[in-house]
Amino acid sequence: GANGSAASPLTRTTCLTHLLCPPLSCSPSQPKDQRNRLTAWNKLCYGIGGAPYQITGSALGFFLQIYLLDVAQLDPFHASIILFVGRAWDAVTDPTVGFLVSRSRWTGIGRMMPWILCSTPFAVLTYFLIWYVPPFEQGKVVWYLVFYCLFQSMQTCFHVPYSALTMFISHDQKERDSATAYRMMVEVLGTVLGTAIQGQIVGGATNCPTEPVSFPPLALLLKSHDPSHTKQAYLIASGAICIIYVLCAVVLFLGVKEQKESGRPKTVLTFSQGLWLVLSYGPYIRLVIGFLFTSLAFMLLEGNFALFITYALGHRKDFQNILLVIMLSGALTIPWWQWFLTRFGKKKAVYFGISWAVPFMVLIVAIKSNLIVSYVVSLAAGVSVAAAFLLPWSMLPDVVDDFKVRNPDVNGHEALFYSFYVFFIKFASGVSLGVSTLSLKFAGYVTGSCSQPEAVSLTLKVLVSPVPIFLIAVGLLILKTYPIDEGRRQSNRKLLQERLDSESETSALGSEV
């Protein structure tokens, strides 16, 4: 979750006049807000490109742990190794791909687009194989580890260039902010879709013969307690997700034109120089570490919630619907958060949005298991999930802008800021999943069983309430020191727009000569 889960806006340079219309058809003096316009269609196509990452991410985030334990029937220790190594590997590939992307050349279809197109077929194939239970016992762990890591690598080759693409779809911050809002809306709908497809198809197939099988609409095919039907359900769900993945990549390619960067020479840095450049920048580090703690809180919640609902609350038949309520609530409140942060500023939105979930985290473990309360809590938690999801991506571009204002000679390294952020978030999620699955082993989790010892229930309660609340508190304290407020953001924006306009005019005059 992020995902990151899950990028957003600011400047690059080139004569926009020549990018967006042929030299003869418009004069350089055309109003600059005309030159920077993206159509709603462009923004929507750009947004749709973010869906594959979120659809696969939410399916894996909510269901991989319970799938490895109860369907593939791996030992919790082996499952924790797969979850940790897979995420840690994924984290390492991010800065690597970010670095390679920042070094890659401009092609006929852009600099980011070739990465996105070439990685898609491999991502789809490896994703499908994660949800296949191989017919052998020996080597099962290696099977899941290899395909999980391969999928994460391919996904990274799609998502890092896609995140950096924000900076190349327009040179105007407002347009990019608007495109990011589209992207966030589609991405949250993507998490809903991932949770819905996986949950509704898989949720009806249960291995527990003592229970009446619930029949979500798509699970009607699977009216059996036979474990092979549960396996089949996971394959059908992953096949559906693979088809959506490919369609989204095609829409992104057809609907978005990548704009060439300015004639400025790109500063060529070695990997270690790039690393130092990003990690020595104070505002970036504060933002990243603050969000690292808050993201970790929501990842712990996401990774363990399906097991928590099933075993601690005993709502086995309803868990896929409860997860869906969280995601729907999140999707519907994104536009409201977008309004809130423009009205009250981004820092206020962070404090209010992320702390909103805390009372509900307390409520879900304090009150005796009750289905109605579980749905109410899910509804409320979704509001915070939306804020935790939108705000980092809305604030990262402000840091990139701030960096550009203070380092006008360093160009072309936006991808590094995004990829290192994603690196930290993914590494943290690997640690959180690994540690929580391992703690279930110590609590005595019984693989493939329909009920679990009391210690497992207690461990799950700790993982979804006290621990996330502590992490949220630490994260918000760190974000209090983040220096970029609304005033500094606006002045950066003005400076960069002036710089962009003067370069546009210079390049326009040059081309006229």
Side-chain angles (χ1 to χ4, degrees):
N3 123 194
S5 275
S8 168
L10 211 113
T11 74
R12 258 353 180 53
T13 25
T14 259
C15 175
L16 300 177
T17 338
H18 295 281
L19 273 175
L20 300 184
C21 44
L24 296 171
S25 68
C26 59
S27 72
S29 61
Q30 188 173 347
K32 54 179 183 285
D33 46 338
Q34 290 302 303
R35 302 196 309 242
N36 287 322
R37 279 279 162 258
L38 287 173
T39 65
W41 169 248
N42 292 143
K43 293 175 193 170
L44 185 62
C45 290
Y46 169 70
I48 286 171
Y53 182 72
Q54 299 303 339
I55 293 174
T56 54
S58 69
L60 289 165
F62 280 129
F63 295 94
L64 186 60
Q65 187 188 35
I66 205 167
Y67 164 80
L68 292 174
L69 293 173
D70 289 358
V71 181
Q73 306 214 339
L74 298 181
D75 177 78
F77 175 67
H78 290 144
S80 73
I81 289 175
I82 292 167
L83 293 166
F84 172 70
V85 174
R87 291 290 178 104
W89 169 259
D90 184 22
V92 173
T93 57
D94 269 289
T96 316
V97 171
F99 179 68
L100 293 171
V101 167
S102 69
R103 299 291 292 265
S104 55
R105 298 195 171 160
W106 181 267
T107 68
I109 54 170
R111 195 148 70 93
M112 306 295 162
M113 220 41 107
W115 284 86
I116 290 168
L117 292 180
C118 296
S119 62
T120 298
F122 299 104
V124 166
L125 178 67
T126 48
Y127 179 78
F128 186 75
L129 292 172
I130 293 172
W131 302 102
Y132 173 70
V133 180
F136 44 81
E137 278 306 313
Q138 289 302 347
K140 223 186 220 185
V141 177
V142 176
W143 170 281
Y144 288 115
L145 201 51
V146 167
F147 285 115
Y148 190 34
C149 289
L150 281 174
F151 169 69
Q152 300 288 23
S153 306
M154 293 302 116
Q155 174 81 299
T156 301
C157 293
F158 182 105
H159 195 248
V160 167
Y162 171 75
S163 297
L165 188 63
T166 317
M167 307 303 278
F168 303 100
I169 53 175
S170 167
H171 297 281
D172 175 22
Q173 187 187 0
K174 261 203 163 124
E175 286 292 294
R176 280 195 299 239
D177 272 339
S178 166
T180 299
Y182 273 81
R183 170 187 165 178
M184 289 302 145
M185 192 63 197
V186 173
E187 287 194 352
V188 174
L189 288 171
T191 60
V192 171
L193 203 58
T195 314
I197 292 172
Q198 194 83 3
Q200 296 303 311
I201 293 178
V202 167
T206 173
N207 285 342
C208 294
T210 49
E211 299 193 4
V213 184
S214 65
F215 293 132
L218 293 164
L220 288 166
L221 312 155
L222 310 155
K223 301 179 185 178
S224 157
H225 303 297
D226 179 353
S228 69
H229 281 272
T230 311
K231 292 175 187 171
Q232 196 187 337
Y234 274 97
L235 281 179
I236 292 170
S238 71
I241 287 173
C242 288
I243 292 166
I244 295 169
Y245 194 119
V246 174
L247 290 175
C248 292
V250 171
V251 169
L252 175 68
F253 174 66
L254 297 177
V256 175
K257 186 158 174 38
E258 198 176 324
Q259 300 187 3
K260 203 162 185 175
E261 22 193 335
S262 65
R264 285 182 175 205
K266 212 170 68 180
T267 333
V268 177
L269 300 179
T270 63
F271 187 74
S272 54
Q273 285 170 323
L275 181 65
W276 175 246
L277 182 89
V278 169
L279 297 188
S280 60
Y281 194 59
Y284 177 74
I285 289 302
R286 287 173 190 178
L287 184 76
V288 168
I289 294 176
F291 278 126
L292 190 63
F293 279 96
T294 59
S295 301
L296 200 48
F298 286 100
M299 281 166 188
L300 269 175
L301 198 60
E302 178 191 61
N304 295 290
F305 211 59
L307 287 168
F308 172 72
I309 296 166
T310 305
Y311 295 116
L313 299 181
H315 306 318
R316 179 190 293 274
K317 295 203 295 293
D318 297 279
F319 87 94
Q320 70 279 7
N321 300 326
I322 294 174
L323 295 179
L324 195 52
V325 167
I326 295 181
M327 290 322 207
L328 271 173
S329 155
L332 297 173
T333 45
I334 283 261
W336 186 81
W337 282 119
Q338 188 65 24
W339 169 83
F340 187 97
L341 63 87
T342 46
R343 176 85 175 70
F344 298 104
K346 296 181 182 180
K347 280 187 85 167
K348 279 202 182 77
V350 168
Y351 302 139
F352 182 66
I354 289 175
S355 55
W356 168 262
V358 171
F360 298 99
M361 288 178 179
V362 174
L363 188 67
I364 190 105
V365 293
I367 286 183
K368 198 169 167 296
S369 169
N370 175 318
L371 192 56
I372 307 290
V373 172
S374 303
Y375 275 112
V376 170
V377 168
S378 311
L379 197 66
V383 177
S384 256
V385 168
F389 191 85
L390 173 72
L391 290 161
W393 292 113
S394 174
M395 290 166 85
L396 264 176
D398 303 338
V399 175
V400 177
D401 288 351
D402 197 69
F403 179 83
K404 285 181 177 179
V405 166
R406 279 151 187 71
N407 301 275
D409 304 326
V410 182
N411 284 308
H413 300 293
E414 293 82 357
L416 287 177
F417 281 96
Y418 288 109
S419 57
F420 278 108
Y421 170 70
V422 177
F423 164 77
F424 291 122
I425 297 300
K426 286 182 175 172
F427 195 81
S429 84
V431 172
S432 81
L433 270 171
V435 168
S436 56
T437 313
L438 208 51
S439 55
L440 289 175
K441 179 175 175 65
F442 291 127
Y445 187 93
V446 187
T447 296
S449 162
C450 293
S451 60
Q452 298 294 343
E454 190 52 42
V456 170
S457 167
L458 182 65
T459 306
L460 287 165
K461 282 179 180 170
V462 171
L463 290 171
V464 301
S465 186
V467 178
I469 291 170
F470 170 74
L471 292 168
I472 285 173
V474 174
L476 291 178
L477 283 172
I478 294 167
L479 286 166
K480 204 162 174 49
T481 66
Y482 171 72
I484 302 173
D485 56 15
E486 290 305 295
R488 181 158 157 185
R489 198 168 79 82
Q490 295 301 341
S491 89
N492 284 347
R493 183 176 160 185
K494 226 169 118 186
L495 278 164
L496 288 167
Q497 192 59 51
E498 283 162 14
R499 196 189 289 174
L500 176 66
D501 291 339
S502 73
E503 291 190 13
S504 296
E505 277 158 30
T506 314
S507 111
L509 289 169
S511 66
E512 281 176 7
V513 173

